[in-house]
Amino acid sequence: MAGGTIETTYKSKVTGYILGCWILAAFGGMMFGYDIGISGGVTSMDDFLIKFFPRVHEKKQHVLEDNYCKYDDELLQLFTSSLYLAALVASFFASKICTICGRKPTILFASGFFIVSSLISCFGSELWMLIFARILFGIGVGFGNEAVPLFLSEVAPVQHRGAVNILFQLFVTIGILIANLVNYVTATIHPNGWRVSLGLAGVPALILFFGSLIITETPTSLLERGKDEEGKKALKKIRGVDDVDEEFEQIKEACDHAKLIKKPFKKLMQRSSMPPMIIGILMQFFQQITGINAIMFYAPVLFQTVGFKSDASLLSAVVTGLVNVLSTFVSIYAVDKVGRRKLLLQACVQMFICQMAIGVILSLNLKKTGTISGGLGLLVLVLVCLYVMSFAWSWGPLGWLIPSETFPLETRTAGFAFAVGANMLFTFLVAQAFLSMLCHMGANIFFFFSFWIVVMGVFVLFLLPETKGVPIDAITDRVWKVHPVWKKFMDDDDRRDMQMV
Ligand code: BGC
């Protein structure tokens, strides 16, 4: 319905150097993923609960406690979600640093926050220290999640941009999986296993730190800051060919236009910026309202709720983590071939069926106390895997890819900050609310998520343009100005640019 774009290819070779840059930068995604995966496991470890949340531990011991409510505790949820609030605020600072200093230093700053935070959370003795460390980690996430997807989209050759950008999400999923595996082992180390879990985040953080010293700056960022010569050199290096004139001219043109805009945040509030803004923010809302983080944060808790024993629950979380990683490869393979829209639509159907089925099974079989039978528990696990699978090749990676490629250069870092901030806000809200919602709504929560999945499908069908194969610096002309709905927002946009900002 809203597809139809002209594809372009410039000359390029994938050299060892650029491959290294992609992978090193993607470690920023691993930090984000490691945290997503680690907190659920840590907050279900007895040693951790006894030390910091004795009330929750006490409640957990009472087998007759309501199944859907045993982990419902505001402070425990605050521990998980404080990071996201910090990341939300930090992403806006990160956008400024990205524009003024470049993508590379922003990634370097992120790694610094991660390293300090891992040290504090490994050795901290009071709850406030752990929360402080999570806030620092959140600032790292704000910086990393702002700079890494932009970096990847800007250095990728146009015909592989989707795949390269999805390395970010691939590393998110690897981070989640590693965290689940780490928790599986550290849960058996008493009483300080949780410290190992939190402290090990320092390892990928160090790789990111050294990586950020080696990677290139993006040609777009260099040109944006008036460093044309360096920009051309960087472009030749990352494309692995000498003949980059055509692409260089296109980036230059986008930069010259961008330089006319002195106040990107003001420009973002104009009508002509609404299409990428609305899409960028809605993509994040929809990504989170799929309920994915109810699974990612609380998988061990959820599986205990349906009757798995503690370590079987952690193991099930490892299984879903593996499915998450492997299915992301499908997206890497398909995104530049079948396009963004088809992946998103297919996933809506699969996620809807799975969520509805889980809701029906739990509401018919899981009463307030007791558990469901082993067979049904296993069926729930299979459905969760099928659900995670479809998320992993669609809304997971594309939630980051699409906003990183749909803003024109003049508003790209500022606009993307809104997308990152929105992601953090909605992640925070889901993390904060999920356990209470599970407690109040019981299994109906899965019907709630299913409803939103239908809304998302309709949104993609009518409002989301296809961006496959369109050069990142030609999006306005080739996507927004020709889209049946969004073109109405693009009227006389250039004239207004000159006058107002
Ligand atoms: C989302 C995270 C989610 C993860 C799961 C990411 O794209 O932003 O919130 O936990 O995917 O793989």
Side-chain angles (χ1 to χ4, degrees), residues 264-402:
F265 281 96
K266 190 167 173 196
K267 164 81 177 133
L268 268 179
M269 296 305 134
Q270 286 179 6
R271 199 176 142 78
S272 61
S273 294
M274 283 305 119
M277 271 289 263
I278 293 172
I279 299 273
I281 291 174
L282 277 184
M283 284 298 292
Q284 309 309 319
F285 171 69
F286 289 142
Q287 188 199 59
Q288 292 306 314
I289 207 78
T290 57
I292 186 67
N293 282 323
I295 310 273
M296 291 300 145
F297 294 144
Y298 302 117
V301 173
L302 201 70
F303 289 125
Q304 282 186 36
T305 301
V306 300
F308 287 97
K309 295 267 167 296
S310 262
D311 61 339
S313 307
L314 280 178
L315 190 62
S316 314
V318 171
V319 173
T320 49
L322 198 62
V323 169
N324 197 13
V325 174
L326 295 178
S327 312
T328 307
F329 284 99
V330 175
S331 189
I332 292 183
Y333 174 78
V335 70
D336 294 311
K337 295 192 173 64
V338 304
R340 285 67 166 146
R341 283 165 48 84
K342 286 194 185 127
L343 281 173
L344 292 169
L345 286 170
Q346 184 284 336
C348 282
V349 176
Q350 191 166 328
M351 289 193 298
F352 177 78
I353 295 172
C354 295
Q355 291 271 19
M356 287 295 287
I358 297 174
V360 169
I361 294 175
L362 293 190
S363 52
L364 292 180
N365 298 287
L366 184 68
K367 303 293 167 250
K368 279 191 183 300
T369 56
T371 57
I372 58 178
S373 74
L376 278 181
L378 221 56
L379 183 58
V380 171
L381 176 62
V382 170
L383 287 167
V384 168
C385 287
L386 285 171
Y387 160 79
V388 168
M389 190 183 281
S390 49
F391 176 88
W393 62 54
S394 58
W395 291 87
L398 301 186
W400 297 103
L401 169 62
I402 292 175

